[in-house]
Amino acid sequence: MSHVLAAVAWPYANGPRHIGHVSGFGVPSDVFARYMRMAGHDVLMVSGTDEHGTPIQVQADAEGVTPRELADRYNRVIAEDLRALGLSYDLFTRTTTRNHYAVVQELFAGLHRNGYIVPRVTTGAISPSTGRTLPDRYIEGTCPICGYDSARGDQCDNCGNQLDPVDLINPKSKINGETPEFVETEHFFLDLPALADALREWLDGREGWRPNVLRFSRNLLDDLQPRAITRDLEWGVPIPLDDWRDRPDKRIYVWFDAVIGYLSASIEWARRTGDPEAWRRWWSADAEGKDARSYYFMGKDNIVFHSVIWPALLGGYSGAGDHDGEPGALGRLNLPTEVVSSEYLTMEGRKFSSSRKVVIYVRDFLERYDADALRYFIAVAGPESNDTDFTWAEFLRRNNDELVAGWGNLVNRSVSMAAKNFGAIPPVDPAGLTEADEALLATARAGFDTVGDLIGRHRQKQAIGEAMRVVAEANKYLSEQAPWKLKAEADKPRMGTILHVALQVVSDANTLLTPFLPHSAQQIHELLGGTGVHAPMPVLEEVDDLDGGPAYPVLTGDYTVGARWEPVPLEVGRPLAAPKPVFRKLDPSIVEEELARLAG
Ligand SMILES: [Zn+2]
């Protein structure tokens, strides 16, 4: 048993999230966290909305609201969507809390003290009308290499060359069309080259990572450059150094502040539990965290931040690296145990794009379909290790043929037949179990090792495949044993035995599927006559900022209750609930309706 940190990528609060976002890391991290809790580990699952940076500032300006107002709006929408999906965060918070500002500033100050943050004068583009920095991708002009007239400041989409905005011919701001001004500006840089050797040594000791992630991360180390960690912008965390902290025009870069969210959210969680040091059991590289493991879940476009940048910040703060140094007040901190990245989900063969309307938002999806139907699709057909495509036809097929006709049918016919003929969990005939009975029970029991091991190694697709294989075996068993033919009084004990075995396997399979399908798992637990919480759910709570800032909603929950990862023998004579279908069969017409929505 150990302390397991499930650190989930932070959604950017500039709009509602679509199903591509939750497929890559949202649902998979929840499956992992739920399983680890059921297996007896002490899990801390944290995340929140990422709310600083230029895109939110630009969008807020366009809408005539403050960045804080925009972030407030989408923080709430996103938190509500994640709650509806049943994602079991211990704390889902945000980057605009005072606690987060304080932790970011502590890391910045510690890295600065140890010599890993250095000042540099650079050339930056600013907007003459606002005085704000114009990030490279907000500048457009003619490519100096191929002459394409809509090249971006960072890259030409026509010839593919990397560009510097200062080289563009006729550069223009994409925000308001004005010509940017190029000025000298002083910024702080993270001295990544000084941390490269320490990072290489750490990466060499990693085990169990997906090989592509490890290879990609090692390659990045060969060409590490110092990286800017401050910007000319008002919207962000102030720089905690004398002569800088009161400057309204200089802020810490959003990527630097957002990755620190994993740590600040853990500290916020601990402070809210009344044991403010409790976070150290998941984070301390010293004795307090000796059995701690940390797993980071993200899309593949974010690997660099988790396998290089975040470990560099943690290492530099802890005093590892070419400049050595002393750990700050938070002590020596653990680097990630594993970086679990997913590939991309596309939709009907195209990239998700909110601007081109190739999208379905989580809340629109959940208005029409059940959360577990989506969770099932993500588990069996999500972008775990390959880019995969969401199509409505495939969603319909998976839902109707597998979830409803496979799992739902097994639950429904076992419970209905037992309820009708016995009203309760029937006893096993004193004549005993047949070989077929024993074999099915053994298959279900063996699933706990197989499925658990696969989830622990982030092979969720295979894991749910194994759980569904138990379901298929049980359906085959029922068809072969045909208990509905044993209506004669003399046959009733055998009918009871078959249904007892079937219900036991339904109960076991339900536990195996609980991390994937928590909503239906609770219902099935109740159909079997179970009481109390089987699969705990997150709740959305309004809380006060711990340090006097504005109140905000958080996702949290009590996950100490619920099923364990083990078979539980059914109690003979326990009354069964009135049977009702757990999953909804969808009409084939939804495919055309959804495609029409997408086109319209
Ligand atoms: Zn070009």
Side-chain angles (χ1 to χ4, degrees):
M1 303 307 108
S2 50
H3 287 83
V4 172
L5 179 75
V8 192
W10 289 54
Y12 197 58
N14 64 339
R17 298 297 89 183
H18 56 64
I19 62 166
H21 291 124
V22 296
S23 298
F25 48 87
V27 171
S29 60
D30 184 58
V31 171
F32 178 76
R34 284 180 178 276
Y35 161 70
M36 292 307 255
R37 288 192 194 104
M38 290 173 77
H41 299 288
D42 223 332
V43 173
L44 180 62
M45 174 166 162
V46 292
S47 186
T49 42
D50 172 6
E51 303 183 357
H52 293 122
T54 308
I56 283 181
Q57 174 84 62
V58 169
Q59 194 173 328
D61 289 351
E63 293 188 20
V65 298
T66 65
R68 173 74 195 208
E69 285 167 336
L70 189 87
D72 281 349
R73 184 198 310 161
Y74 291 117
N75 159 261
R76 195 168 285 275
V77 167
I78 293 167
E80 173 52 37
D81 286 350
L82 303 182
R83 187 205 58 76
L85 275 169
L87 305 186
S88 58
Y89 292 99
D90 291 281
L91 185 70
F92 184 87
T93 178
R94 53 196 306 193
T95 56
T96 43
T97 68
R98 294 202 180 168
N99 173 75
H100 178 71
Y101 276 42
V103 175
V104 169
Q105 292 179 330
E106 167 60 22
L107 257 78
F108 189 105
L111 283 157
H112 183 260
R113 212 165 38 236
N114 286 345
Y116 297 104
I117 288 181
V118 290
R120 269 199 183 184
V121 175
T122 62
T123 304
I126 59 164
S127 155
S129 63
T130 65
R132 282 186 199 134
T133 306
L134 264 179
D136 297 353
R137 65 178 181 284
Y138 285 101
I139 303 171
E140 211 170 53
T142 301
C143 174
I145 298 162
C146 74
Y148 178 59
D149 63 5
S150 312
R152 285 200 321 254
D154 54 346
Q155 182 178 313
C156 173
D157 283 340
N158 188 51
C159 66
N161 281 294
Q162 304 277 308
L163 302 174
D164 202 317
V166 88
D167 301 328
L168 287 176
I169 302 160
N170 281 329
K172 292 271 182 281
S173 160
K174 282 172 78 171
I175 299 163
N176 59 13
E178 66 189 353
T179 304
E181 206 177 301
F182 291 93
V183 294
E184 289 202 329
T185 176
E186 192 176 19
H187 280 293
F188 287 99
F189 280 67
L190 182 64
D191 188 1
L192 284 167
L195 291 153
D197 285 343
L199 286 171
R200 198 180 311 279
E201 196 181 313
W202 166 72
L203 274 177
D204 284 346
R206 299 298 90 204
E207 280 168 15
W209 284 31
R210 290 180 182 155
N212 59 328
V213 179
L214 205 51
R215 202 177 318 118
F216 176 78
S217 307
R218 281 213 182 91
N219 288 343
L220 290 171
L221 296 185
D222 294 338
D223 189 30
L224 275 188
Q225 302 296 325
R227 192 160 177 147
I229 58 172
T230 57
R231 301 298 279 166
D232 296 292
L233 191 70
E234 306 97 283
W235 177 235
V237 181
I239 298 162
L241 300 175
D242 292 343
D243 302 332
W244 289 85
R245 72 181 91 241
D246 296 324
R247 289 190 63 166
D249 58 334
K250 300 274 182 186
R251 289 291 179 265
I252 292 175
Y253 212 147
V254 59
W255 64 259
F256 181 93
D257 110 60
V259 285
I260 296 172
Y262 301 119
L263 177 59
S264 69
S266 301
I267 293 173
E268 182 185 342
W269 169 83
R271 293 178 66 194
R272 291 191 181 282
T273 65
D275 179 3
E277 302 300 317
W279 63 274
R280 293 184 194 272
R281 298 202 286 272
W282 286 269
W283 284 94
S284 173
D286 297 318
E288 294 151 294
K290 65 179 181 313
D291 68 350
R293 289 185 277 156
S294 53
Y295 299 85
Y296 290 76
F297 294 84
M298 78 225 60
K300 64 180 165 188
D301 51 337
N302 268 322
I303 295 175
V304 59
F305 290 104
H306 296 86
S307 69
V308 174
I309 307 263
W310 180 226
L313 300 185
L314 291 164
Y317 178 83
S318 302
D322 297 354
H323 307 319
D324 298 325
E326 291 295 323
L330 301 173
R332 289 198 311 129
L333 300 170
N334 277 324
L335 273 53
T337 303
E338 195 166 342
V339 170
V340 187
S341 88
S342 65
E343 307 291 307
Y344 294 138
L345 189 74
T346 53
M347 180 145 187
E348 300 288 345
R350 290 182 290 169
K351 253 176 91 167
F352 275 96
S353 161
S354 304
S355 54
R356 288 195 302 272
K357 307 265 166 61
V358 185
V359 75
I360 176 153
Y361 293 112
V362 171
R363 72 185 142 160
D364 295 336
F365 196 103
L366 295 181
E367 259 172 34
R368 306 199 276 279
Y369 310 101
D370 296 329
D372 280 7
L374 177 57
R375 292 180 63 121
Y376 180 75
F377 183 90
I378 292 170
V380 294
E384 182 178 85
S385 51
N386 297 98
D387 291 350
T388 53
D389 194 30
F390 177 93
T391 66
W392 286 103
E394 182 67 356
F395 171 68
L396 177 83
R397 188 187 73 75
R398 295 277 191 185
N399 182 78
N400 285 0
D401 295 2
E402 298 176 8
L403 204 50
V404 178
W407 179 217
N409 183 38
L410 174 67
V411 173
N412 195 44
R413 57 181 177 156
S414 315
V415 174
S416 302
M417 239 183 296
K420 191 170 146 210
N421 291 284
F422 300 90
I425 307 282
V428 172
D429 182 356
L433 296 172
T434 65
E435 231 171 83
D437 301 341
E438 297 276 19
L440 181 65
L441 289 167
T443 301
R445 272 198 304 272
F448 286 87
D449 282 343
T450 327
V451 176
D453 175 65
L454 287 165
I455 298 176
R457 291 190 288 125
H458 312 292
R459 296 186 183 180
Q460 297 188 3
K461 225 175 242 196
Q462 253 180 291
I464 196 167
E466 283 296 316
M468 290 301 280
R469 197 172 62 81
V470 173
V471 169
E473 289 290 326
N475 269 323
K476 191 164 145 244
Y477 166 87
L478 271 187
S479 302
E480 285 168 4
Q481 302 294 322
W484 48 87
K485 289 182 184 162
L486 304 173
K487 287 249 168 72
E489 206 46 46
D491 292 334
K492 209 132 181 230
R494 177 61 195 152
M495 182 202 231
T497 302
I498 296 167
L499 292 174
H500 182 98
V501 168
L503 291 174
Q504 181 64 54
V505 172
V506 165
S507 169
D508 291 349
N510 193 43
T511 306
L512 297 176
L513 287 165
T514 298
F516 299 100
L517 309 173
H519 302 89
S520 49
Q522 179 69 38
Q523 285 174 269
I524 293 166
H525 168 74
E526 289 164 16
L527 283 182
L528 292 170
T531 53
V533 176
H534 174 86
M537 286 295 161
V539 289
L540 195 61
E541 272 177 16
E542 297 291 323
V543 296
D544 287 326
D545 184 283
L546 290 166
D547 307 292
Y552 54 96
V554 297
L555 272 182
T556 183
D558 175 11
Y559 311 113
T560 57
V561 292
R564 303 275 103 190
W565 192 256
E566 63 196 9
V568 178
L570 288 177
E571 199 187 318
V572 171
R574 186 165 82 184
L576 290 164
K580 55 173 189 254
V582 178
F583 301 105
R584 277 197 297 156
K585 187 168 180 189
L586 298 171
D587 192 275
S589 65
I590 66 133
V591 174
E592 269 187 47
E593 284 165 25
E594 293 293 351
L595 290 175
R597 270 199 191 93
L598 208 52

